[in-house]
Amino acid sequence: MINEIKVLTTIKFLLYLVLLGVFRNGMTDAVVIDIVVTMVIYYLFNSYFIERDIDKLLVIAFVNIINFIITINSLPLTIGITIYSLMFLYQILSNKFLKKHLKQEKSILIIGETEKKPEALKLIEESDDYKGVHHFFKDDLTLFDEKNFMKFIKEKKIHEILVLDKDLKNQVVTNILNVKVTGIKIYNYYEFFEYIRGQLHLEELDEKKLLFDHGFGVYHNQFQKQLKRTVDIILAISVAIVVAPIVVVAALIVKLESRGPVLFKQDRVGEGNKVFKMIKFRSMKLHDENAHSKYAGKTDSRITNFGKIMRKTRIDELPQLWNVIKGEMSFVGPRAEWVKLANEYEKNISFFPLRHTVRPGLTGWAQVNYPYGASEDDMKKKLMYDLYYVKHQTAGIDLVILLKTAGVVFLGKGQ
């Protein structure tokens, strides 16, 4: 449904441009820029729905205020207010119409009765995409008769099939294959978990699955690697130029606020387990690492006042642009882990070293989907996201992560 909302929102802004152009006989650059920026902001924060989410409401309020100001300044007052009001009303009515009439709710068929069934049902509940859940047992050959099975699929309008049983009879496999070629998606539990959560299931993961699993194109797609590195260099240099004034001001504040160096340097684990010096703005007072926790909480007394601001807005990470330029880091990738912690995690967490098969990033799939980790259990959960990223890394998912990160920075949700 979100895609339909995006289409209607795009139509809204196109109409907005047309009406402004008709009534004004040519628009200022400010109006065009406003419309483009507004659409980007709507995408950044996924703010297409008028919801009770306070953050989204604040974003919607902000962009609509800007739209309103520019509209009434571009046109006579009454015409400007009329056009803006019509467009805003269009947004609300189109949202309500889609929610009521066009939302695609899928039906899913579960085949098998295993210990994974309660977990599978929980995953289905987490998603609001499913309106119907149906169950078959693998030994019910009457239902799995070819004609009956196909008839059931059509009558119940099944979109997806989740196969929980690993040991299926040949007739069952044949009938499932017959419906697969008609466009029905087939999942096992492992794949379904990955699809719903955007994670790899550590408990279901083993070396054989990794060996034959599709994905992990990042390992052998040289063009993709070169493209990612080229984008990293261009983006790092461009961002460094833009944020140079912020870097200078931040460095001065860090120096004046507390004694110690401006930059914090620490050994981190990079691609191929190579250790490198990661640099950040120092956000803590000088302290003995051995006398304090390895993790920094939100209320940690070691964090300076300006350090709290830098962590929320990610300003403390701007010096890492140098790490990106040097090729030690990427813009997007798993978080670069402290060597001491990485050694502990490698001993206690299965498949942890896999996250070091790609360059670490300034931001990543785990960072935008999971809060700051302060324990080994948190690291396990974040690893599930990291491995999903390693498996599915593309320019597209990198862009999504960068846009989500922009939302985190804009709303001050970092730590």
Side-chain angles (χ1 to χ4, degrees):
M1 178 179 172
I2 190 65
N3 291 325
E4 288 87 350
I5 289 285
K6 287 180 179 179
V7 169
L8 286 179
T9 302
T10 303
I11 292 172
K12 167 192 171 180
F13 290 123
L14 290 175
L15 287 171
Y16 193 30
L17 281 169
V18 170
L19 288 172
L20 285 172
V22 168
F23 284 98
R24 199 180 185 284
N25 295 321
M27 293 169 288
T28 63
D29 291 340
V31 173
V32 177
I33 292 171
D34 166 58
I35 301 303
V36 174
V37 170
T38 297
M39 292 180 68
V40 171
I41 290 174
Y42 264 61
Y43 179 78
L44 282 179
F45 302 102
N46 207 18
S47 300
Y48 298 91
F49 295 104
I50 307 297
E51 297 178 305
R52 293 182 181 179
D53 186 320
I54 186 64
D55 290 335
K56 290 185 180 181
L57 286 174
L58 287 173
V59 172
I60 291 171
F62 171 76
V63 295
N64 276 289
I65 288 170
I66 299 300
N67 286 162
F68 179 72
I69 292 171
I70 290 181
T71 303
I72 63 175
N73 279 284
S74 301
L75 299 166
L77 184 62
T78 52
I79 295 176
I81 292 175
T82 301
I83 289 177
Y84 174 79
S85 300
L86 287 172
M87 292 299 98
F88 190 64
L89 181 63
Y90 167 89
Q91 179 79 43
I92 294 174
L93 293 178
S94 62
N95 283 2
K96 289 185 177 294
F97 174 78
L98 282 175
K99 282 183 177 180
K100 186 174 182 180
H101 299 288
L102 297 183
K103 184 173 182 180
Q104 184 185 21
E105 293 178 317
K106 300 178 287 187
S107 291
I108 186 168
L109 172 63
I110 299 177
I111 296 177
E113 189 78 23
T114 71
E115 71 280 358
K116 294 296 182 186
K117 187 174 178 181
E119 296 176 32
L121 292 173
K122 185 178 179 182
L123 288 173
I124 292 170
E125 288 176 6
E126 287 179 13
S127 172
D128 61 355
D129 291 337
Y130 298 99
K131 65 177 180 180
V133 182
H134 306 277
H135 306 270
F136 270 6
F137 301 103
K138 67 173 183 177
D139 295 324
D140 196 337
L141 296 181
T142 304
L143 288 173
F144 274 109
D145 172 82
E146 185 175 353
K147 281 190 176 180
N148 290 339
F149 189 58
M150 190 64 78
K151 181 181 178 183
F152 179 88
I153 295 295
K154 290 179 179 178
E155 286 181 352
K156 300 298 181 181
K157 297 180 179 178
I158 300 296
H159 295 82
E160 298 170 0
I161 297 177
L162 172 58
V163 181
L164 297 180
D165 277 305
K166 296 178 181 178
D167 182 26
L168 295 176
K169 295 182 178 179
N170 290 338
Q171 182 181 338
V172 176
V173 174
T174 300
N175 289 332
I176 294 175
L177 182 59
N178 287 338
V179 299
K180 179 178 180 177
V181 298
T182 66
I184 305 296
K185 290 183 179 179
I186 313 296
Y187 298 101
N188 58 32
Y189 175 78
Y190 171 74
E191 294 168 333
F192 191 67
F193 179 94
E194 185 178 324
Y195 167 66
I196 296 293
R197 291 272 182 88
Q199 302 171 304
L200 260 63
H201 200 309
L202 286 182
E203 293 177 7
E204 293 288 314
L205 203 58
D206 59 43
E207 291 182 346
K208 282 187 178 180
K209 282 182 179 175
L210 285 173
L211 182 62
F212 297 107
D213 205 345
H214 65 281
F216 299 99
V218 66
Y219 294 147
H220 52 75
N221 190 328
Q222 292 303 315
F223 174 77
Q224 186 171 302
K225 285 184 177 181
Q226 291 170 2
L227 175 64
K228 184 175 174 66
R229 180 63 187 141
T230 302
V231 171
D232 279 341
I233 295 171
I234 295 172
L235 202 55
I237 294 173
S238 301
V239 172
I241 293 170
V242 172
V243 301
I246 298 174
V247 169
V248 173
V249 173
L252 288 172
I253 296 175
V254 171
K255 188 65 178 176
L256 294 172
E257 186 178 27
S258 64
R259 68 182 182 86
V262 171
L263 295 176
F264 169 73
K265 298 180 182 180
Q266 190 177 62
D267 288 340
R268 298 289 178 104
V269 182
E271 184 181 16
N273 285 314
K274 291 179 182 178
V275 176
F276 69 98
K277 289 283 185 186
M278 190 200 70
I279 55 176
K280 301 173 70 173
F281 280 127
R282 181 173 55 81
S283 59
M284 288 185 171
K285 302 168 188 174
L286 292 180
H287 62 276
D288 181 2
E289 288 183 351
N290 297 320
H292 292 82
S293 169
K294 299 184 183 79
Y295 306 99
K298 288 185 178 180
T299 58
D300 198 310
S301 60
R302 294 173 292 173
I303 303 175
T304 64
N305 291 328
F306 185 58
K308 293 174 183 175
I309 296 172
M310 289 197 295
R311 283 169 170 251
K312 281 187 174 293
T313 56
R314 302 278 181 94
I315 290 174
D316 62 321
E317 297 179 1
L318 290 179
Q320 291 175 44
L321 291 170
W322 179 240
N323 291 121
V324 175
I325 292 171
K326 289 172 66 180
E328 296 165 334
M329 295 180 66
S330 174
F331 256 89
V332 180
R335 183 177 181 272
E337 198 56 71
W338 183 24
V339 172
K340 288 185 179 180
L341 283 176
N343 290 337
E344 291 179 15
Y345 294 151
E346 192 165 337
K347 293 175 186 175
N348 302 325
I349 303 175
S350 299
F351 302 106
F352 181 80
L354 277 179
R355 70 194 300 280
H356 298 143
T357 56
V358 296
R359 282 192 183 99
L362 295 177
T363 184
W365 188 239
Q367 289 95 305
V368 298
N369 283 291
Y370 194 84
Y372 178 80
S375 69
E376 192 171 289
D377 187 56
D378 283 335
M379 187 65 246
K380 288 179 182 178
K381 292 173 182 174
K382 295 189 80 168
L383 180 62
M384 294 163 76
Y385 286 110
D386 285 334
L387 296 185
Y388 178 90
Y389 172 78
V390 174
K391 178 178 177 179
H392 296 282
Q393 193 275 318
T394 61
I397 194 172
D398 280 359
L399 179 60
V400 169
I401 292 168
L402 288 172
L403 292 175
K404 284 178 174 286
T405 302
V408 171
V409 172
F410 185 83
L411 296 172
K413 285 187 172 183
Q415 181 175 334

